[in-house]
Amino acid sequence: MEENHGEEDVVDIVIVGAGLAGLTTALSLHRLGLRSLVLESSESLRITGFALTLWTNAWRALDAVGIGNTLRQTSTQIKGFKVASPDTGLFTSEQALDKDGKFEGYESRCVRRKDLLETIVKELPPGTIRYSSKVAAIDELGRFKLVHLTDGSILKTKVLIGCDGVNSVVAKWLGLETPVSVGRSAIRGLVEFPDGSGFDPMFHVNFGGGVRFGFLPVDDKTVYWFCTFTPSQVPTYEEDWQVNPIKMKQFVLSRINKMPQEAQDVVERTTLSSISYAQLKFRLPWNVLLGNIVKDNVCVAGDALHPMTPDIGQGGCSSLEDSVVLGRFLGEALLKKPNEEDDDDDEFERIKKGLEKYGKERRWRSFSLISVAYCVGFMQESKGKFMSFLRKVWFSSYTPSVFLKMANFDCGNLVC
């Protein structure tokens, strides 16, 4: 419905959310010579989550936007898995990631989220991010979109991109269903070892009993760890544990008390300010297949498109893929030299077709990643003797291959 509106600021491309997807999309567009405005509701850059594992597909995307080599200098290449016995807690098996040599040239590195986001921001033109800018409503004026902010200002834009996370306002406007809880939660931490951690460049993991615990080095002195579990495992009397890092730490230690002291030290030495909690949610896969992830000149990317469980480490990686693919198709639409006969409708048609190409390319990829991540998580955390046996067989034979196969994807360059 069209209404009478006050004065609007006109911006060609508005991106909602200055997280990984939003900032990388802005950088992709900037590399092509296209200016965008990123709206961030927080007062400053949000550095939550501490670190994330980036696989081959993510590094290809980072290379496409020109920052891959910068980030490689501060991260360690992960070589394989050390797996602890669910019975004894001791590391009893070791497996190279690419033991069969099927994925030559793979990459797997853990990167500080702060380093990643700040590296992107440094490459963006000044004024690209507008902080303290929360979207209140989205409206239409002809083929333009009007973005109403809570401070009363209005932005009129040709392209609206929602990179605003699991609780996306843009996804809601598109009619996508709200992501649902998977019944699991995650506690994560980042710990510094001033004299060096001494850990091998491996995923150190322990599965089973409803818990998945693991840690891996970011670099020589920094280690990232995680613990996913079902909240029903937490004693009912621990009422405030979700906001109390002391109790979070105590809970994780209680679940890994059979593991070697070096593993327990990773958690013990973590400062309380470097521990976080999150409920795990995902978008139902068929909602990605059948829902409106693109509509005319509006689309979603990153967690606004495909929130998924962290079980194959593809949440952030797929967000980077989105950003490059989106940048490429928008570049095709907006950089085409207009004919004398062209008018605004012609440009909007090109934008619409470009976003439709983006949606077509990302829909099945997102469906696959969400589905595989959920299944892997279910397998790794399920209880029972049969599931424990199945997990041992499955992990030794298939898990590394699943990680590498899902990461063996090339989003392409910004320019075809």
Side-chain angles (χ1 to χ4, degrees):
M1 180 181 295
E2 295 187 20
E3 303 174 357
N4 292 322
H5 299 275
E7 195 69 26
E8 305 102 4
D9 292 329
V10 180
V11 181
D12 282 350
I13 305 171
V14 170
I15 300 169
V16 183
L20 180 57
L23 293 175
T24 311
T25 300
L27 181 56
S28 295
L29 295 168
H30 172 59
R31 296 299 194 213
L32 294 169
L34 294 169
R35 187 71 184 262
S36 62
L37 178 65
V38 182
L39 303 177
E40 172 53 46
S41 59
S42 302
E43 295 179 357
S44 59
L45 197 62
R46 287 180 290 115
I47 311 295
T48 57
F50 305 123
L52 68 164
T53 305
L54 298 180
W55 293 82
T56 310
N57 52 324
W59 290 103
R60 288 169 177 164
L62 291 170
D63 286 337
V65 296
I67 59 173
N69 286 335
T70 299
L71 291 163
R72 285 184 180 95
Q73 295 174 15
T74 58
S75 57
T76 299
Q77 167 79 328
I78 302 301
K79 303 295 186 182
F81 285 91
K82 280 189 174 182
V83 185
S85 164
D87 300 318
T88 66
L90 301 177
F91 292 110
T92 54
S93 65
E94 186 172 317
Q95 185 171 334
L97 267 174
D98 190 18
K99 64 174 184 176
D100 299 322
K102 295 179 180 178
F103 301 94
E104 185 177 353
Y106 83 88
E107 285 192 81
S108 177
R109 302 169 185 270
C110 191
V111 176
R112 291 183 188 85
R113 186 175 293 269
K114 181 176 185 290
D115 292 346
L116 177 55
L117 296 186
E118 288 181 349
T119 298
I120 298 171
V121 170
K122 287 177 183 178
E123 298 293 317
L124 293 172
T128 297
I129 308 171
R130 183 183 294 184
Y131 294 105
S132 301
S133 298
K134 186 175 182 179
V135 175
I138 300 167
D139 200 359
E140 298 181 89
L141 183 64
R143 301 192 73 167
F144 289 90
K145 294 298 178 285
L146 298 178
V147 182
H148 298 258
L149 304 183
T150 53
D151 63 4
S153 59
I154 304 172
L155 299 174
K156 179 181 176 182
T157 185
K158 295 177 182 177
V159 184
L160 176 60
I161 304 170
C163 299
D164 44 341
V166 175
N167 300 311
S168 170
V169 174
V170 180
K172 184 178 180 180
W173 185 87
L174 285 169
L176 289 171
E177 296 174 9
T178 302
V180 299
S181 170
V182 296
R184 296 190 288 137
S185 297
I187 297 174
R188 301 177 174 99
L190 191 73
V191 58
E192 300 288 340
F193 290 82
D195 298 323
S197 70
F199 289 118
D200 294 331
M202 310 280 279
F203 287 96
H204 300 73
V205 292
N206 187 9
F207 306 119
V211 173
R212 182 178 71 119
F213 173 79
F215 62 91
L216 67 160
V218 176
D219 53 33
D220 292 342
K221 297 183 178 181
T222 311
V223 175
Y224 171 63
W225 61 266
F226 56 87
C227 178
T228 60
F229 58 97
T230 54
S232 60
Q233 295 174 305
V234 181
T236 54
Y237 59 81
E238 298 286 9
E239 295 180 357
D240 65 339
W241 68 273
Q242 296 179 356
V243 294
N244 187 328
I246 295 177
K247 292 183 178 180
M248 291 183 208
K249 179 185 281 192
Q250 290 172 343
F251 169 75
V252 176
L253 288 170
S254 73
R255 308 308 299 184
I256 63 170
N257 57 7
K258 290 183 179 179
M259 294 190 72
Q261 188 60 46
E262 61 179 6
Q264 297 182 49
D265 284 345
V266 168
V267 179
E268 280 280 13
R269 296 179 59 157
T270 307
T271 61
L272 298 182
S273 61
S274 295
I275 298 175
S276 69
Y277 166 86
Q279 185 183 57
L280 299 182
K281 296 182 178 182
F282 77 138
R283 188 175 300 290
L284 295 173
W286 47 89
N287 190 217
V288 173
L289 278 186
L290 304 175
N292 285 330
I293 64 175
V294 169
K295 184 179 179 183
D296 296 328
N297 55 344
V298 180
C299 71
V300 284
D303 282 346
L305 166 59
H306 47 58
M308 66 186 73
T309 61
D311 302 289
I312 57 172
Q314 280 294 327
C317 300
S318 54
S319 296
L320 291 168
E321 291 178 12
D322 294 341
S323 301
V324 174
V325 175
L326 184 51
R328 179 168 63 247
F329 288 132
L330 275 179
E332 289 179 4
L334 295 171
L335 295 173
K336 181 179 179 181
K337 293 182 179 179
N339 298 319
E340 291 183 5
E341 300 83 13
D342 284 355
D343 55 20
D344 283 345
D345 280 342
D346 292 310
E347 185 176 46
F348 276 110
E349 280 301 311
R350 292 198 302 271
I351 292 169
K352 179 182 178 181
K353 290 178 180 178
L355 293 186
E356 286 173 350
K357 289 180 182 177
Y358 161 77
K360 183 178 180 180
E361 186 162 322
R362 299 309 297 164
R363 195 181 295 274
W364 276 104
R365 172 69 171 162
S366 300
F367 173 86
S368 300
L369 291 171
I370 292 170
S371 302
V372 171
Y374 179 84
C375 292
V376 169
F378 177 80
M379 177 77 74
Q380 289 178 348
E381 291 189 21
S382 296
K383 300 178 182 180
K385 291 183 178 180
F386 174 73
M387 289 302 295
S388 179
F389 168 77
L390 191 62
R391 184 165 45 245
K392 288 179 182 178
V393 174
W394 181 78
F395 189 91
S396 62
S397 302
Y398 301 111
T399 293
S401 294
V402 169
F403 277 79
L404 291 173
K405 184 175 181 179
M406 299 310 294
N408 190 29
F409 181 89
D410 192 346
C411 61
N413 297 317
L414 287 173
V415 179
C416 292

